[in-house]
Amino acid sequence: MESLKERILRDGRCFPGGILKVDSFINHQMDPILMKSIAVEFVRRFASEDINKVITIEASGIAPAIMVGYLLELPVVFAKKKKPSTMQNMLVTKVYSFTKDNTYDVCVSRDFLCKGDRVLFIDDFLANGNAAKGMIDLAAQAGAEIAGMGFIIEKAFQHGGDMLRSLGMRVESLAIIESLDNCEIKIR
Ligand code: G4P
């Protein structure tokens, strides 16, 4: 997606350790016009898939996911990183965060991720793919199917995309970062 790539090159910032900061337009301050274009592109790419729900993980996945859900007129579910005390009947999985070097629980109610669902998973970043792997586990526990996975930015050098594609998952990333070496952003 050209406009996204241009924006990353213009406003993205590199940090040591292969971190790309896009917090002026994607995951802190958000540009809703760009977010709408991102959602339009996801809808175009997944047009042939039979989907009944959009799913993401809080927090940064929610903005693109709700835009996609709005365009598709489908419900949007976000998996939670803290177990709400009022939530019963839920599915839980553990996700390891490479960036933060910790493991956290991700949960979703069985009422909102169910047998027979065909969900589209949307997130801002695909790095090592651990969050996506957690979502695959939650879907398997629910008896739901993942019709596809859409990421705004994939960091190819962390290989989460390779792992998901080798599992047979349909993965669409709107900007693929080849490298952030020497704090220079190289986009495929
Ligand atoms: P993974 O899920 O692909 O394995 O990613 P990883 O554990 O490495 O990343 C953990 C968190 O860091 C995720 O957000 C992910 O989106 C984010 N992240 C990974 N690489 C980058 C990067 O280069 N730049 C930025 N800005 N974020 C990155 P999270 O902890 O779930 O946070 P949030 O969704 O609550 O914001």
Side-chain angles (χ1 to χ4, degrees), residues 52-56 74-80 84 86-91 107-120 135 138-139 142-145:
N52 75 328
K53 205 169 268 184
V54 179
I55 197 156
T56 187
L74 291 175
V76 178
V77 177
F78 67 91
K80 300 192 177 214
T86 53
M87 202 197 270
Q88 290 168 333
N89 198 21
M90 54 176 215
L91 305 162
C107 61
V108 67
S109 167
R110 284 182 190 272
D111 296 338
F112 306 129
L113 183 60
C114 320
K115 190 168 166 55
D117 276 342
R118 275 187 62 81
V119 301
L120 174 61
M135 188 51 66
L138 289 175
E145 259 183 83

Side-chain angles (χ1 to χ4, degrees), residues 49-151:
E49 299 291 342
D50 185 19
I51 297 159
N52 75 328
K53 205 169 268 184
V54 179
I55 197 156
T56 187
I57 301 183
E58 64 177 348
S60 307
I62 295 176
I66 200 150
M67 284 276 188
V68 172
Y70 176 78
L71 293 176
L72 293 174
E73 300 187 6
L74 291 175
V76 178
V77 177
F78 67 91
K80 300 192 177 214
K81 287 183 179 162
K82 270 202 193 113
K83 183 187 159 194
S85 56
T86 53
M87 202 197 270
Q88 290 168 333
N89 198 21
M90 54 176 215
L91 305 162
V92 187
T93 194
K94 291 212 178 294
V95 171
Y96 171 69
S97 169
F98 183 82
T99 310
K100 294 173 183 163
D101 191 23
N102 64 9
T103 299
Y104 55 95
D105 284 334
V106 171
C107 61
V108 67
S109 167
R110 284 182 190 272
D111 296 338
F112 306 129
L113 183 60
C114 320
K115 190 168 166 55
D117 276 342
R118 275 187 62 81
V119 301
L120 174 61
F121 176 67
I122 296 289
D123 212 350
D124 58 342
F125 271 93
L126 171 58
N128 297 285
N130 290 316
K133 232 165 56 185
M135 188 51 66
I136 291 172
D137 182 44
L138 289 175
Q141 291 183 48
E145 259 183 83
I146 297 186
M149 298 190 145
F151 300 92

Side-chain angles (χ1 to χ4, degrees), residues 127-170:
N128 297 285
N130 290 316
K133 232 165 56 185
M135 188 51 66
I136 291 172
D137 182 44
L138 289 175
Q141 291 183 48
E145 259 183 83
I146 297 186
M149 298 190 145
F151 300 92
I152 301 178
I153 300 172
E154 173 177 342
K155 290 155 75 186
F157 57 90
Q158 285 181 313
H159 303 297
D162 297 338
M163 181 270 294
L164 294 174
R165 291 179 182 102
S166 74
L167 294 175
M169 198 55 71
R170 171 148 184 219

